[in-house]
Amino acid sequence: MSLHPALRQWPVLPRDRTGTALWTSAEIAAATGGRASADFQVSGVEMDSRDVRGGDLFVALKGETTDGHRFIDKAIALGARALLVDRPVDFPHVLVPDTTLALHALAHAARDRAQAIRIGVTGSVGKTGVKEAIFAALDRGSRGAAHRSVRSYNNHVGVPLSLARMPARSKFGVFEMGMNHAGEIRALTAHVRPHVALITTIAPAHIENLGSMEAIADAKAEIFESLMPGGTAVIPADSPWCQQLRAAGERLGHKIVTFGRSADADVRLLDSIVAANGGSLVTADLGDTRLCFSVAEPGEHWVGNALGVMAAVRAAGGDLGAAGLALAEMGGLKGRGARHQLRVPGGKALLIDESYNANPASMRATLRQLGQTPATRRIAVLGSMKELGDFADGFHAQLAEPLAEAGVTHAVLVGEEMRALARALGKGEGGALAAGLTFAHCDNPAEAIAALEEFGLTGGDAVLVKGSNSVGLGRLVNHFTSRDG
């Protein structure tokens, strides 16, 4: 049977000749300088034995307190196809002198073999959500040829692992980079070597370690240091540190693209109105064109995020139409805005899960969002914000005003640092800052669950749960959502 002429003439691209396996044993050995014990192919790369899936390469990393080689049997039992190890084992493997260095080498090989446009994302607030939005936009526009780091794999292990997982056929790669000390993003961006680098915002996260907002901005600007030649630095025009970030990018010779509400922003907000689903309808000016698109995620902060997404997608050569559709369809991520409907006496209550992370800027943004959420009563469960050092008491106490502005009826405050907010709310006659605002302070999530149960949720309530991940408010979210299911 002969092929239709149109099929015979279909262009064959170099990526079409690439194998479908993520890695072969020969490729892993060549990338790492190791020695393969057998011929094999793997479909994934994993460093945590608990997360191994069938067909994975399990990388036995050695840390300060544990050694991944202890979990080889568990990884094999869960379906690992092969291992990356520093000692011979009785399973298919590649033997290397140092598994951490080998993972880095594998990451660099994945980066260099794929003809992918790479986008790096950092910032004090919104990294993961913006990374997911850029990925959704590029994946839709490229029909499934985009790759990204999953979860918050944004540190010295997660970034190389995410790179090592990038298929050779990828057209785009989106990588999140986090830090809590100066110099960390410099090392991460050297792995990724992005073509586009986006800073979402500058806020007092990790100020305990960095000492000042200017130092935080400098640390975030490290993402520009390993941008590819001709790369684009995407920065927030409305930030007080915009000029500092711009100067950092310009010193390195990069193209600068700004986004925000500022009159001189390259991707500028013209108008936004709240949509019926709680999101926003946005009109933006990109200089040579205007876009009107919907953003499913609620809150003014997501209007700004969406402008950054559009700037990054355009800089990467992506499809802006597909980006608009992706933003219209995005749902909240677990711990970062996921919304749950709880069955309670009198109907349903809304629970907004922001339990994964918190700093002063994101606290204010999500409390503002809570204030715009239609509800009979608004309840805030707030966990301590970490890594604020000597600034902690002041930043926690300052949340009293946004709580009142949001029309919060009741607050459950969790963690030692939240005592400063409890004191601020307890000042004045009547024992509360604002009329009708009551609160309880708890030491841990278990006490917070009991306090919220005692308060009692009813139909029409809206509950915001937000705090640093180490506080453990995900337990409270799981308690109420699993009981409801």
Side-chain angles (χ1 to χ4, degrees):
M1 182 179 68
S2 62
L3 292 173
H4 188 279
L7 293 178
R8 289 200 302 268
Q9 295 170 12
W10 189 267
V12 178
L13 303 175
R15 65 190 297 271
D16 295 325
R17 299 188 178 94
T18 305
T20 55
L22 180 62
W23 293 104
T24 67
S25 54
E27 290 168 341
I28 297 169
T32 63
R35 188 173 70 250
S37 68
D39 290 333
F40 58 79
Q41 297 181 342
V42 297
S43 56
V45 182
E46 186 52 73
M47 63 178 180
D48 189 329
S49 62
R50 296 167 295 184
D51 294 331
V52 165
R53 295 181 297 179
D56 277 352
L57 172 74
F58 175 64
V59 183
L61 296 177
K62 293 170 68 175
E64 294 181 1
T65 59
T66 189
D67 185 347
H69 293 81
R70 293 170 45 202
F71 304 99
I72 284 174
D73 288 341
K74 180 178 179 180
I76 292 294
L78 288 174
R81 178 68 184 85
L83 311 163
L84 188 61
V85 292
D86 65 10
R87 65 203 70 167
V89 293
D90 294 331
F91 304 104
H93 65 272
V94 172
L95 181 64
V96 296
D98 185 305
T99 52
T100 297
L101 294 179
L103 176 61
H104 292 177
L106 196 63
H108 299 168
R111 177 196 69 202
D112 295 342
R113 73 177 178 175
Q115 300 300 308
I117 300 298
R118 298 179 297 278
I119 300 93
V121 180
T122 192
S124 302
V125 182
K127 292 185 296 295
T128 301
V130 167
K131 177 257 299 180
E132 289 292 324
I134 294 172
F135 165 75
L138 295 174
D139 199 53
R140 185 172 190 134
S142 65
R143 299 185 181 182
H147 171 77
R148 97 289 207 180
S149 51
V150 298
R151 305 181 200 169
S152 288
Y153 278 18
N154 62 14
N155 62 9
H156 67 287
V157 177
V159 169
L161 179 69
S162 298
L163 270 169
R165 290 170 166 176
M166 183 164 64
R169 295 186 174 205
S170 299
K171 291 183 178 179
F172 299 98
V174 191
F175 301 92
E176 178 183 342
M177 302 179 202
M179 48 73 72
N180 51 32
H181 290 86
E184 290 180 316
I185 288 180
R186 178 177 295 116
L188 299 179
T189 195
H191 287 305
V192 176
R193 298 189 65 199
H195 299 85
V196 180
L198 166 68
I199 296 178
T200 59
T201 191
I202 304 296
H206 316 301
I207 198 169
E208 175 183 20
N209 300 324
L210 291 157
S212 70
M213 296 297 293
E214 290 78 9
I216 293 172
D218 281 340
K220 297 299 183 184
E222 292 172 10
I223 197 172
F224 302 149
E225 294 182 13
S226 289
L227 263 175
M228 294 291 284
T232 302
V234 182
I235 60 178
D238 305 324
S239 171
W241 294 272
C242 177
Q243 292 307 314
Q244 183 177 341
L245 298 175
R246 176 188 285 276
E250 288 178 342
R251 279 196 302 269
L252 296 165
H254 302 312
K255 178 182 178 181
I256 307 298
V257 174
T258 60
F259 66 93
R261 292 171 166 80
S262 177
D264 60 354
D266 298 307
V267 178
R268 180 169 61 96
L269 179 68
L270 295 177
D271 186 43
S272 69
I273 59 174
V274 177
N277 64 353
S280 301
L281 181 64
V282 176
T283 304
D285 184 357
L286 280 68
D288 59 350
T289 188
R290 290 186 175 186
L291 292 177
C292 185
F293 57 93
S294 295
V295 180
E297 295 277 16
E300 291 181 13
H301 58 295
W302 256 104
V303 173
N305 287 346
L307 298 175
V309 170
M310 287 300 187
V313 168
R314 191 179 212 197
D319 185 329
L320 293 177
L325 292 172
L327 286 167
E329 295 175 355
M330 277 196 69
L333 304 174
K334 181 179 180 181
R336 294 184 172 87
R339 295 187 158 213
H340 304 274
Q341 293 291 332
L342 308 180
R343 289 192 295 271
V344 296
K348 290 188 175 182
L350 171 67
L351 187 148
I352 305 168
D353 178 12
E354 288 274 2
S355 61
Y356 189 83
N357 202 2
N359 59 49
S362 65
M363 276 286 196
R364 286 177 175 272
T366 49
L367 283 169
R368 191 180 306 117
Q369 174 190 329
L370 177 64
Q372 296 169 351
T373 301
T376 304
R377 300 184 302 179
R378 298 185 181 93
I379 299 140
V381 181
L382 304 182
S384 294
M385 302 178 288
K386 301 296 186 179
E387 298 186 26
L388 295 177
D390 294 340
F391 302 88
D393 279 359
F395 279 127
H396 283 84
Q398 288 168 15
L399 294 177
E401 183 177 352
L403 270 172
E405 290 175 347
V408 171
T409 301
H410 185 68
V412 178
L413 313 177
V414 190
E416 179 62 29
E417 293 88 343
M418 277 292 168
R419 291 188 186 279
L421 177 56
R423 288 193 294 270
L425 292 175
K427 288 179 181 177
E429 187 175 350
L433 179 71
L437 172 59
T438 60
F439 68 93
H441 181 266
C442 305
D443 290 327
N444 53 59
E447 292 182 9
I449 290 170
L452 195 55
E453 294 273 20
E454 182 179 354
F455 177 75
L457 298 181
T458 61
D461 286 346
V463 185
L464 169 66
V465 182
K466 187 166 182 65
S468 290
N469 190 41
S470 60
V471 178
L473 290 182
R475 289 172 51 193
L476 182 145
V477 173
N478 292 337
H479 172 82
F480 285 96
T481 56
S482 61
R483 180 188 66 178
D484 185 63

